[in-house]
Amino acid sequence: MSASTAPADLYRHGLRLLLDKDIPAWVDLWDENGIFEFPFAPEGRPNRLEGKAAVADYMRGYPDHIDLHDFPYVEIHQTTAPETIVVEMRGVGRLVGTDSPFDMSYIAVVTVKNGLITRYRDYWNPLAVQNTAADFAGSNR
């Protein structure tokens, strides 16, 4: 992606990479100093990751725990700040460890500068996968 890539286009590309389970390419969409936040993180889960390396560590095992099949609903809203978007979406697939369905709604606030993600606030519901094989994030809060 180039520095002139619109945030919405970069985000859609990132969703395709997640479906392809290409986590290294997804991490490459991040700025070296990017911040990944989880405002609703329960105790024992990370609520803030600082830097591309931390994002890579967090996401490394993602496909081993959540097998995403589709994002059947994605709506991207442009904000008054051209580099920031708000995304409403739904991801579906399966939890690998239990082979049970995965169906999660998300809201994300994403800021992109120079074609890279600099801030991503992920408002997902961690209670929906509590005590499941999806607990891949460990306890480095």
mmCIF file of all heavy atoms in Angstrom, residues 73-102:
data_model
loop_
_atom_site.group_PDB
_atom_site.id
_atom_site.type_symbol
_atom_site.label_atom_id
_atom_site.label_comp_id
_atom_site.label_asym_id
_atom_site.label_seq_id
_atom_site.Cartn_x
_atom_site.Cartn_y
_atom_site.Cartn_z
ATOM 1 N N TYR A 73 -20.578 -8.121 7.138
ATOM 2 C CA TYR A 73 -21.053 -6.749 7.267
ATOM 3 C C TYR A 73 -19.862 -5.862 7.596
ATOM 4 O O TYR A 73 -19.154 -6.085 8.583
ATOM 5 C CB TYR A 73 -22.100 -6.640 8.383
ATOM 6 C CG TYR A 73 -22.491 -5.220 8.713
ATOM 7 C CD1 TYR A 73 -23.286 -4.478 7.846
ATOM 8 C CD2 TYR A 73 -22.055 -4.618 9.884
ATOM 9 C CE1 TYR A 73 -23.642 -3.166 8.146
ATOM 10 C CE2 TYR A 73 -22.403 -3.310 10.192
ATOM 11 C CZ TYR A 73 -23.193 -2.592 9.317
ATOM 12 O OH TYR A 73 -23.531 -1.293 9.601
ATOM 13 N N VAL A 74 -19.615 -4.898 6.746
ATOM 14 C CA VAL A 74 -18.567 -3.898 6.986
ATOM 15 C C VAL A 74 -19.109 -2.558 6.517
ATOM 16 O O VAL A 74 -19.488 -2.404 5.357
ATOM 17 C CB VAL A 74 -17.261 -4.216 6.216
ATOM 18 C CG1 VAL A 74 -16.236 -3.107 6.449
ATOM 19 C CG2 VAL A 74 -16.699 -5.573 6.611
ATOM 20 N N GLU A 75 -19.178 -1.617 7.433
ATOM 21 C CA GLU A 75 -19.583 -0.265 7.077
ATOM 22 C C GLU A 75 -18.519 0.688 7.616
ATOM 23 O O GLU A 75 -18.210 0.670 8.806
ATOM 24 C CB GLU A 75 -20.948 0.083 7.664
ATOM 25 C CG GLU A 75 -21.467 1.408 7.169
ATOM 26 C CD GLU A 75 -22.927 1.643 7.515
ATOM 27 O OE1 GLU A 75 -23.627 0.686 7.898
ATOM 28 O OE2 GLU A 75 -23.346 2.801 7.407
ATOM 29 N N ILE A 76 -17.953 1.470 6.719
ATOM 30 C CA ILE A 76 -16.868 2.383 7.080
ATOM 31 C C ILE A 76 -17.381 3.816 7.007
ATOM 32 O O ILE A 76 -17.931 4.228 5.986
ATOM 33 C CB ILE A 76 -15.656 2.174 6.158
ATOM 34 C CG1 ILE A 76 -15.134 0.737 6.308
ATOM 35 C CG2 ILE A 76 -14.557 3.195 6.483
ATOM 36 C CD1 ILE A 76 -13.990 0.378 5.387
ATOM 37 N N HIS A 77 -17.192 4.533 8.097
ATOM 38 C CA HIS A 77 -17.638 5.924 8.191
ATOM 39 C C HIS A 77 -16.416 6.835 8.209
ATOM 40 O O HIS A 77 -15.500 6.633 9.006
ATOM 41 C CB HIS A 77 -18.428 6.153 9.484
ATOM 42 C CG HIS A 77 -19.562 5.208 9.672
ATOM 43 N ND1 HIS A 77 -20.794 5.396 9.103
ATOM 44 C CD2 HIS A 77 -19.638 4.023 10.363
ATOM 45 C CE1 HIS A 77 -21.592 4.394 9.445
ATOM 46 N NE2 HIS A 77 -20.913 3.557 10.201
ATOM 47 N N GLN A 78 -16.427 7.818 7.352
ATOM 48 C CA GLN A 78 -15.365 8.824 7.346
ATOM 49 C C GLN A 78 -15.665 9.847 8.437
ATOM 50 O O GLN A 78 -16.806 10.243 8.618
ATOM 51 C CB GLN A 78 -15.280 9.513 5.992
ATOM 52 C CG GLN A 78 -14.128 10.475 5.857
ATOM 53 C CD GLN A 78 -12.768 9.805 6.076
ATOM 54 O OE1 GLN A 78 -12.428 8.868 5.368
ATOM 55 N NE2 GLN A 78 -12.016 10.271 7.057
ATOM 56 N N THR A 79 -14.655 10.252 9.168
ATOM 57 C CA THR A 79 -14.833 11.272 10.192
ATOM 58 C C THR A 79 -14.423 12.626 9.617
ATOM 59 O O THR A 79 -13.978 12.717 8.471
ATOM 60 C CB THR A 79 -13.983 10.961 11.442
ATOM 61 O OG1 THR A 79 -12.604 11.120 11.114
ATOM 62 C CG2 THR A 79 -14.254 9.561 11.956
ATOM 63 N N THR A 80 -14.537 13.648 10.415
ATOM 64 C CA THR A 80 -14.113 14.976 9.957
ATOM 65 C C THR A 80 -12.599 15.071 9.851
ATOM 66 O O THR A 80 -12.083 15.972 9.214
ATOM 67 C CB THR A 80 -14.642 16.089 10.879
ATOM 68 O OG1 THR A 80 -14.197 15.835 12.207
ATOM 69 C CG2 THR A 80 -16.173 16.146 10.830
ATOM 70 N N ALA A 81 -11.888 14.145 10.478
ATOM 71 C CA ALA A 81 -10.433 14.050 10.318
ATOM 72 C C ALA A 81 -10.178 13.050 9.189
ATOM 73 O O ALA A 81 -10.489 11.871 9.329
ATOM 74 C CB ALA A 81 -9.784 13.562 11.613
ATOM 75 N N PRO A 82 -9.659 13.480 8.054
ATOM 76 C CA PRO A 82 -9.528 12.607 6.890
ATOM 77 C C PRO A 82 -8.717 11.337 7.129
ATOM 78 O O PRO A 82 -8.922 10.336 6.448
ATOM 79 C CB PRO A 82 -8.829 13.486 5.844
ATOM 80 C CG PRO A 82 -8.857 14.863 6.356
ATOM 81 C CD PRO A 82 -9.157 14.825 7.817
ATOM 82 N N GLU A 83 -7.839 11.346 8.128
ATOM 83 C CA GLU A 83 -7.012 10.168 8.377
ATOM 84 C C GLU A 83 -7.670 9.163 9.328
ATOM 85 O O GLU A 83 -7.116 8.104 9.582
ATOM 86 C CB GLU A 83 -5.631 10.583 8.914
ATOM 87 C CG GLU A 83 -5.633 11.189 10.299
ATOM 88 C CD GLU A 83 -5.943 12.692 10.346
ATOM 89 O OE1 GLU A 83 -6.164 13.323 9.306
ATOM 90 O OE2 GLU A 83 -5.974 13.230 11.467
ATOM 91 N N THR A 84 -8.851 9.483 9.844
ATOM 92 C CA THR A 84 -9.513 8.615 10.823
ATOM 93 C C THR A 84 -10.854 8.127 10.296
ATOM 94 O O THR A 84 -11.651 8.905 9.776
ATOM 95 C CB THR A 84 -9.709 9.354 12.158
ATOM 96 O OG1 THR A 84 -8.419 9.749 12.652
ATOM 97 C CG2 THR A 84 -10.384 8.477 13.197
ATOM 98 N N ILE A 85 -11.082 6.811 10.459
ATOM 99 C CA ILE A 85 -12.354 6.189 10.082
ATOM 100 C C ILE A 85 -12.931 5.469 11.294
ATOM 101 O O ILE A 85 -12.208 5.111 12.228
ATOM 102 C CB ILE A 85 -12.187 5.193 8.910
ATOM 103 C CG1 ILE A 85 -11.153 4.108 9.251
ATOM 104 C CG2 ILE A 85 -11.840 5.921 7.618
ATOM 105 C CD1 ILE A 85 -11.029 2.995 8.219
ATOM 106 N N VAL A 86 -14.238 5.280 11.259
ATOM 107 C CA VAL A 86 -14.937 4.452 12.237
ATOM 108 C C VAL A 86 -15.544 3.306 11.452
ATOM 109 O O VAL A 86 -16.214 3.517 10.428
ATOM 110 C CB VAL A 86 -16.021 5.250 12.987
ATOM 111 C CG1 VAL A 86 -16.822 4.337 13.902
ATOM 112 C CG2 VAL A 86 -15.399 6.392 13.769
ATOM 113 N N VAL A 87 -15.296 2.094 11.915
ATOM 114 C CA VAL A 87 -15.749 0.902 11.203
ATOM 115 C C VAL A 87 -16.711 0.118 12.080
ATOM 116 O O VAL A 87 -16.412 -0.163 13.243
ATOM 117 C CB VAL A 87 -14.548 0.004 10.825
ATOM 118 C CG1 VAL A 87 -15.015 -1.210 10.047
ATOM 119 C CG2 VAL A 87 -13.503 0.782 10.050
ATOM 120 N N GLU A 88 -17.865 -0.217 11.516
ATOM 121 C CA GLU A 88 -18.796 -1.160 12.128
ATOM 122 C C GLU A 88 -18.682 -2.427 11.294
ATOM 123 O O GLU A 88 -18.766 -2.373 10.066
ATOM 124 C CB GLU A 88 -20.227 -0.656 12.047
ATOM 125 C CG GLU A 88 -20.493 0.630 12.787
ATOM 126 C CD GLU A 88 -21.928 1.066 12.558
ATOM 127 O OE1 GLU A 88 -22.840 0.515 13.202
ATOM 128 O OE2 GLU A 88 -22.121 1.953 11.699
ATOM 129 N N MET A 89 -18.487 -3.569 11.953
ATOM 130 C CA MET A 89 -18.350 -4.796 11.170
ATOM 131 C C MET A 89 -18.692 -6.014 12.000
ATOM 132 O O MET A 89 -18.824 -5.941 13.220
ATOM 133 C CB MET A 89 -16.948 -4.926 10.601
ATOM 134 C CG MET A 89 -15.863 -5.099 11.619
ATOM 135 S SD MET A 89 -14.277 -5.202 10.795
ATOM 136 C CE MET A 89 -13.312 -5.894 12.106
ATOM 137 N N ARG A 90 -18.829 -7.104 11.293
ATOM 138 C CA ARG A 90 -19.110 -8.398 11.911
ATOM 139 C C ARG A 90 -18.188 -9.426 11.279
ATOM 140 O O ARG A 90 -18.072 -9.490 10.054
ATOM 141 C CB ARG A 90 -20.563 -8.775 11.655
ATOM 142 C CG ARG A 90 -20.990 -10.056 12.298
ATOM 143 C CD ARG A 90 -22.499 -10.255 12.135
ATOM 144 N NE ARG A 90 -22.765 -11.669 12.105
ATOM 145 C CZ ARG A 90 -23.363 -12.305 11.130
ATOM 146 N NH1 ARG A 90 -23.795 -11.654 10.072
ATOM 147 N NH2 ARG A 90 -23.542 -13.601 11.194
ATOM 148 N N GLY A 91 -17.506 -10.200 12.112
ATOM 149 C CA GLY A 91 -16.644 -11.274 11.646
ATOM 150 C C GLY A 91 -17.222 -12.610 12.053
ATOM 151 O O GLY A 91 -17.718 -12.763 13.169
ATOM 152 N N VAL A 92 -17.171 -13.571 11.139
ATOM 153 C CA VAL A 92 -17.680 -14.911 11.436
ATOM 154 C C VAL A 92 -16.634 -15.955 11.057
ATOM 155 O O VAL A 92 -15.821 -15.739 10.162
ATOM 156 C CB VAL A 92 -19.020 -15.204 10.716
ATOM 157 C CG1 VAL A 92 -20.115 -14.271 11.186
ATOM 158 C CG2 VAL A 92 -18.864 -15.124 9.210
ATOM 159 N N GLY A 93 -16.694 -17.067 11.753
ATOM 160 C CA GLY A 93 -15.777 -18.168 11.500
ATOM 161 C C GLY A 93 -15.972 -19.223 12.565
ATOM 162 O O GLY A 93 -17.105 -19.528 12.951
ATOM 163 N N ARG A 94 -14.837 -19.740 13.074
ATOM 164 C CA ARG A 94 -14.922 -20.755 14.130
ATOM 165 C C ARG A 94 -13.757 -20.600 15.084
ATOM 166 O O ARG A 94 -12.698 -20.095 14.715
ATOM 167 C CB ARG A 94 -14.961 -22.150 13.542
ATOM 168 C CG ARG A 94 -13.662 -22.594 12.948
ATOM 169 C CD ARG A 94 -13.728 -24.018 12.375
ATOM 170 N NE ARG A 94 -12.442 -24.352 11.801
ATOM 171 C CZ ARG A 94 -11.453 -24.955 12.456
ATOM 172 N NH1 ARG A 94 -11.612 -25.322 13.715
ATOM 173 N NH2 ARG A 94 -10.298 -25.201 11.874
ATOM 174 N N LEU A 95 -13.986 -21.015 16.315
ATOM 175 C CA LEU A 95 -12.924 -21.092 17.307
ATOM 176 C C LEU A 95 -12.221 -22.421 17.102
ATOM 177 O O LEU A 95 -12.853 -23.480 17.186
ATOM 178 C CB LEU A 95 -13.496 -20.982 18.717
ATOM 179 C CG LEU A 95 -14.194 -19.655 19.035
ATOM 180 C CD1 LEU A 95 -14.875 -19.725 20.391
ATOM 181 C CD2 LEU A 95 -13.204 -18.511 18.985
ATOM 182 N N VAL A 96 -10.958 -22.399 16.781
ATOM 183 C CA VAL A 96 -10.230 -23.598 16.389
ATOM 184 C C VAL A 96 -10.199 -24.638 17.506
ATOM 185 O O VAL A 96 -10.445 -25.821 17.269
ATOM 186 C CB VAL A 96 -8.799 -23.228 15.936
ATOM 187 C CG1 VAL A 96 -7.972 -24.469 15.660
ATOM 188 C CG2 VAL A 96 -8.846 -22.333 14.700
ATOM 189 N N GLY A 97 -9.917 -24.223 18.730
ATOM 190 C CA GLY A 97 -9.761 -25.164 19.841
ATOM 191 C C GLY A 97 -11.009 -25.953 20.187
ATOM 192 O O GLY A 97 -10.924 -27.087 20.657
ATOM 193 N N THR A 98 -12.176 -25.362 19.968
ATOM 194 C CA THR A 98 -13.435 -26.032 20.329
ATOM 195 C C THR A 98 -14.279 -26.368 19.110
ATOM 196 O O THR A 98 -15.295 -27.035 19.249
ATOM 197 C CB THR A 98 -14.273 -25.126 21.250
ATOM 198 O OG1 THR A 98 -14.593 -23.914 20.543
ATOM 199 C CG2 THR A 98 -13.525 -24.798 22.533
ATOM 200 N N ASP A 99 -13.871 -25.885 17.947
ATOM 201 C CA ASP A 99 -14.623 -26.039 16.696
ATOM 202 C C ASP A 99 -16.037 -25.459 16.818
ATOM 203 O O ASP A 99 -16.954 -25.888 16.135
ATOM 204 C CB ASP A 99 -14.676 -27.497 16.240
ATOM 205 C CG ASP A 99 -14.955 -27.594 14.742
ATOM 206 O OD1 ASP A 99 -14.507 -26.701 13.996
ATOM 207 O OD2 ASP A 99 -15.640 -28.552 14.316
ATOM 208 N N SER A 100 -16.189 -24.481 17.705
ATOM 209 C CA SER A 100 -17.491 -23.838 17.858
ATOM 210 C C SER A 100 -17.542 -22.567 17.005
ATOM 211 O O SER A 100 -16.512 -22.010 16.636
ATOM 212 C CB SER A 100 -17.759 -23.526 19.330
ATOM 213 O OG SER A 100 -16.750 -22.719 19.860
ATOM 214 N N PRO A 101 -18.753 -22.112 16.694
ATOM 215 C CA PRO A 101 -18.876 -20.923 15.842
ATOM 216 C C PRO A 101 -18.304 -19.674 16.503
ATOM 217 O O PRO A 101 -18.346 -19.520 17.723
ATOM 218 C CB PRO A 101 -20.389 -20.773 15.662
ATOM 219 C CG PRO A 101 -20.977 -22.075 16.044
ATOM 220 C CD PRO A 101 -20.036 -22.688 17.039
ATOM 221 N N PHE A 102 -17.790 -18.804 15.673
ATOM 222 C CA PHE A 102 -17.306 -17.492 16.093
ATOM 223 C C PHE A 102 -18.128 -16.470 15.325
ATOM 224 O O PHE A 102 -18.219 -16.530 14.096
ATOM 225 C CB PHE A 102 -15.817 -17.335 15.750
ATOM 226 C CG PHE A 102 -15.266 -15.970 16.048
ATOM 227 C CD1 PHE A 102 -14.871 -15.631 17.327
ATOM 228 C CD2 PHE A 102 -15.136 -15.016 15.044
ATOM 229 C CE1 PHE A 102 -14.346 -14.366 17.606
ATOM 230 C CE2 PHE A 102 -14.619 -13.760 15.310
ATOM 231 C CZ PHE A 102 -14.226 -13.430 16.581
#
